[in-house]
Amino acid sequence: MALWGGRFTQGPDQRFKDFNDSLKFDCAMALEDIDGSIGWAKAICEAGVLTLEEKDKLIQALNELRQEIADDPHKIAGEADEDIHSYVERRLIEKVGQLGKKLHTGRSRNDQVALDLKLWCRASSVKISEALVHLEKTLVECAKRHQGQIFPGYTHLQRAQPITFSHYILSYVQMFERDYKRLQNALDLMSTCPLGSAALAGTAYKIDRDALAVDLGFKEATFNSLDAVSDRDHVLELLSCASISMVHLSRLAEDLIIYNSGEAGFLELSDKVTSGSSLMPQKKNPDALELIRGKCGRVVGALTGMLVTMKALPMAYDKDLQEDKERLFDAMDTWHSCLDMAALCFEDLKLRESKVESAAKGGYSNATELADYLVSKGIAFREAHEIVGRTVLYAIEKNKALEDLSVDEFEKFSQVVGGDVYECLKLENIVAKRDIKGGTAPRQNALEIERLEKLLASR
Ligand code: ARG
């Protein structure tokens, strides 16, 4: 049953109907449509459009429908209705007859869809926030388990300076923490309710829009009906939160893939998140991480797609806006599953300590420390840099680490080197010295773990 037709002398071409209908995907907003309809029934009852009895009857039927949908959620997608709003209205009329036809008084599908989608966005943000917190907690636990473990720190994928593994893991917690806050900010901006804006000009019925907004979980009603029916900033914002977070996830995935490779061998991913090759029996592929990395493209694509859909959209509602849903639903599902999968990758993740340590020791990652040592003996940093450069070249030729050189060998490059140089070249001492806020020292890591544990427990 279409919600319109009086003005038409002919039905739609089937090909147009298939092209135009959105039920197959907007059925995901069935519960939101029912919540919104219940809110609307109450509001128009207050305005004198429905009697108390009629309102109760409608609400009861809508709740029944909610239960039926919960019992068989996949059934709706196959129905012939144009969209979820038409479906809910048809089913309501089937249940309560003529009375069902009163519910749409003063409402348009334009404010209805704006409301449903905003409610969906809010619910989805809450679910994703929980997944972010879960991932952060998993990472903090991992950092805590491996406290004090030395790890090679890289710039340009070249070993640069030793760090701790905890410090490395906690760097990603910072990113996901910003993702969490970004999402809360987005949620905060989604706190106005568009219902009552009608098609574009605002409803003519005297309803209390602010009370309706609060009833539906918002802070207040929107301030301009034209904007309210055509605003999809919350979709853009969620997609941009999702994209930034997926970029973070893709970086984490890429790091772990590299560290898990045969060449690095720092980690071993568990069998739970890897798969084999159909041809090569020895293979254990990091598929979970590769998919996380790959799916980043899909989410960023959803954001760019939606930005282009919104660009130059005439005020107010245009059917272009129906293009907001599929990619938003897909992007949020993708983001959610990638967050969960990233957390799963840390379950039973094995750190190969001896590999990590020898990698941290190699690559002359204590060279900067030797330069600082020379500075402490009164040599200017630029000169110290040059001396250490030459010393490293010599050590490479001899196939030795810096700490394996004798004092005599050091003296070839600088007279100030003494026996105390060996303590200063020890990786444990190097990391322990970075004992300032944000530094890699195990003491700082412990403080940060404590801070994050408290913060995450409070959510
Ligand atoms: N399915 C439509 C959408 O998703 C619902 C709103 C339709 N409004 C209209 N005037 N045709 O945008």
Side-chain angles (χ1 to χ4, degrees):
M1 181 196 75
L3 296 180
W4 39 267
R7 185 212 181 286
F8 291 75
T9 53
Q10 210 188 346
D13 187 294
Q14 187 58 43
R15 287 163 297 183
F16 165 68
K17 186 167 160 50
D18 293 343
F19 184 66
N20 187 53
D21 287 2
S22 54
L23 184 64
K24 54 189 173 295
F25 51 86
D26 65 18
C27 57
M29 307 187 306
L31 300 181
E32 285 79 5
D33 200 75
I34 291 176
D35 287 342
S37 296
I38 292 177
W40 188 243
K42 292 189 216 161
I44 56 173
C45 174
E46 292 276 326
V49 175
L50 300 174
T51 65
L52 282 174
E53 222 172 292
E54 285 176 326
K55 176 200 73 175
D56 289 343
K57 210 164 165 197
L58 282 175
I59 293 179
Q60 195 193 340
L62 285 162
N63 279 326
E64 251 174 57
L65 185 55
R66 185 206 305 279
Q67 191 52 51
E68 285 166 26
I69 292 169
D71 292 344
D72 190 1
H74 300 297
K75 189 172 156 260
I76 317 177
E79 301 283 342
D81 305 274
E82 185 182 329
D83 52 27
I84 187 61
H85 326 295
S86 323
Y87 172 82
V88 169
E89 196 166 329
R90 169 175 67 83
R91 298 285 290 112
L92 191 61
I93 294 166
E94 281 169 7
K95 283 179 185 294
V96 299
Q98 285 301 103
L99 169 62
K101 296 186 180 175
K102 284 193 176 178
L103 178 64
H104 209 53
T105 314
R107 184 175 68 163
S108 156
R109 275 186 298 162
N110 296 355
D111 59 347
Q112 194 175 353
V113 72
L115 168 75
D116 293 2
L117 192 62
K118 224 169 186 180
L119 286 172
W120 189 94
C121 284
R122 289 175 63 84
S124 167
S125 303
V126 170
K127 280 185 230 151
I128 299 266
S129 300
E130 285 164 11
L132 275 165
V133 169
H134 172 64
L135 175 58
E136 286 184 62
K137 282 183 177 165
T138 307
L139 292 175
V140 171
E141 273 163 30
C142 176
K144 197 171 179 177
R145 261 200 309 283
H146 297 286
Q147 275 191 90
Q149 173 65 53
I150 302 287
F151 198 68
Y154 294 84
T155 61
H156 312 270
L157 266 189
Q158 307 278 318
R159 271 168 284 179
Q161 285 181 334
I163 54 172
T164 61
F165 183 64
S166 301
H167 199 55
Y168 165 74
I169 293 293
L170 293 173
S171 69
Y172 278 98
V173 181
Q174 306 303 323
M175 297 190 207
F176 297 123
E177 181 55 22
R178 287 195 296 276
D179 293 343
Y180 178 89
K181 289 195 179 127
R182 202 172 283 117
L183 196 51
Q184 308 319 303
N185 288 343
L187 249 172
D188 195 43
L189 277 180
M190 275 179 232
S191 58
T192 54
C193 177
L195 198 57
S197 300
L200 75 163
T203 191
Y205 292 84
K206 290 273 164 276
I207 60 163
D208 183 344
R209 287 197 62 223
D210 282 326
L212 172 61
V214 171
D215 186 39
L216 289 170
F218 294 90
K219 222 190 279 169
E220 58 189 333
T222 49
F223 293 87
N224 181 295
S225 58
L226 294 172
D227 173 52
V229 292
S230 67
D231 170 29
R232 294 294 182 272
D233 285 3
H234 36 290
V235 175
L236 291 174
E237 281 216 274
L238 281 193
L239 290 175
S240 109
C241 290
S243 297
I244 296 172
S245 185
M246 284 300 297
V247 166
H248 294 158
L249 284 164
S250 79
R251 291 183 62 183
L252 176 62
E254 171 76 347
D255 272 1
L256 295 185
I257 289 166
I258 293 173
Y259 295 157
N260 179 66
S261 70
E263 283 62 32
F266 294 171
L267 311 168
E268 191 180 339
L269 289 164
S270 106
D271 290 358
K272 291 199 240 175
V273 290
T274 47
S275 68
S277 153
S278 57
L279 178 81
M280 299 162 283
Q282 82 285 12
K283 294 283 294 278
K284 183 169 157 185
N285 299 325
D287 293 30
L289 294 168
E290 288 171 346
L291 280 169
I292 292 175
R293 189 175 59 184
K295 283 175 192 291
C296 180
R298 171 167 166 170
V299 174
V300 175
L303 171 63
T304 46
M306 187 63 194
L307 284 167
V308 178
T309 292
M310 293 307 293
K311 176 190 170 291
L313 189 83
M315 187 62 77
Y317 178 86
D318 302 272
K319 196 61 174 264
D320 315 38
L321 288 174
Q322 184 167 286
E323 283 296 301
D324 56 7
K325 290 171 204 65
E326 284 163 287
R327 51 182 151 222
L328 173 70
F329 297 164
D330 180 72
M332 296 303 272
D333 276 356
T334 303
W335 183 16
H336 198 162
S337 63
C338 289
L339 289 167
D340 286 349
M341 202 44 59
L344 191 61
C345 286
F346 280 87
E347 270 181 30
D348 306 332
L349 178 82
K350 266 206 224 92
L351 189 64
R352 292 221 187 88
E353 282 152 21
S354 62
K355 277 268 194 180
V356 165
E357 263 152 42
S358 59
K361 276 199 182 117
Y364 302 96
S365 64
N366 49 4
T368 311
E369 213 55 32
L370 180 58
D372 282 340
Y373 170 85
L374 296 176
V375 169
S376 76
K377 302 278 174 182
I379 295 177
F381 183 75
R382 274 290 147 242
E383 203 182 320
H385 189 286
E386 172 70 24
I387 294 168
V388 176
R390 280 189 276 116
T391 314
V392 167
L393 195 61
Y394 170 85
I396 292 172
E397 274 162 19
K398 295 279 169 200
N399 201 16
K400 285 180 172 178
L402 284 176
E403 59 274 28
D404 296 336
L405 299 179
S406 65
V407 173
D408 284 351
E409 284 175 302
F410 276 121
E411 279 180 344
K412 288 190 189 164
F413 304 96
S414 171
Q415 290 298 316
V416 301
V417 180
D420 56 344
V421 74
Y422 298 105
E423 268 309 297
C424 121
L425 290 176
K426 276 194 186 143
L427 303 189
E428 291 73 22
N429 294 338
I430 298 177
V431 294
K433 261 171 86 176
R434 270 77 193 162
D435 192 8
I436 33 99
K437 182 181 181 186
T440 193
R443 202 183 75 89
Q444 291 295 331
N445 296 157
L447 289 173
E448 179 58 1
I449 288 170
E450 207 185 304
R451 183 186 75 87
L452 287 165
E453 278 179 339
K454 264 196 213 130
L455 180 72
L456 296 170
S458 71
R459 288 186 182 145

